[in-house]
């Protein structure tokens, strides 16, 4: 039987962040909207050009970076720092 991951494990945190990134970037790439954005009728527009994955990944990285400034404890928890 397998052993459960600890929620404080760095590998588990990277795993979760990867799934979150896959959710956002995947929905943005396929439809320009996440489920929450559909409710509010918000859609990403790219001037009739296809979305590039690098731009969507950069958009996600900027969101994570901004979250670090708004909630600095989140970054400390992720890095296991004080």
């Amino acid at each position: 039987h397998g052993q459960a991951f600890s929620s404080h494990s760095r590998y588990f945190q990277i795993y979760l962040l990867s799934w979150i990134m896959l959710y956002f970037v995947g929905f943005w790439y396929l439809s320009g909207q996440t489920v929450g954005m559909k409710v509010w009728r918000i859609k990403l527009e790219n001037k009739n050009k296809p979305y590039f994955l690098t731009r969507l990944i950069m958009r996600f990285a900027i969101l994570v970076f901004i979250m670090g400034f708004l909630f600095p404890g989140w970054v400390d928890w992720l890095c296991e720092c004080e």
Side-chain angles (χ1 to χ4, degrees):
H1 297 280
Q3 200 172 16
F5 277 108
S6 168
S7 62
H8 298 292
S9 166
R10 190 170 312 233
Y11 297 112
F12 184 67
Q13 293 168 359
I14 292 169
Y15 172 78
L16 287 180
L17 189 61
S18 299
W19 273 106
I20 293 168
M21 184 177 85
L22 182 67
Y23 167 80
F24 279 100
V25 173
F27 272 102
W28 289 338
Y29 183 75
L30 294 174
S31 66
Q33 297 173 299
T34 60
V35 175
M37 292 170 75
K38 286 181 183 182
V39 170
W40 289 93
R41 296 184 180 118
I42 300 170
K43 187 172 184 173
L44 294 179
E45 296 285 330
N46 198 21
K47 300 179 187 172
N48 298 325
K49 298 178 185 176
Y51 291 106
F52 291 106
L53 284 177
T54 53
R55 291 190 130 200
L56 296 175
I57 291 170
M58 186 170 41
R59 178 183 169 89
F60 178 79
I62 290 169
L63 282 173
V64 170
F65 183 72
I66 288 171
M67 287 294 293
F69 280 111
L70 294 177
F71 304 102
W74 179 79
V75 175
D76 294 341
W77 175 78
L78 184 65
C79 299
E80 298 177 358
C81 306
E82 291 187 30

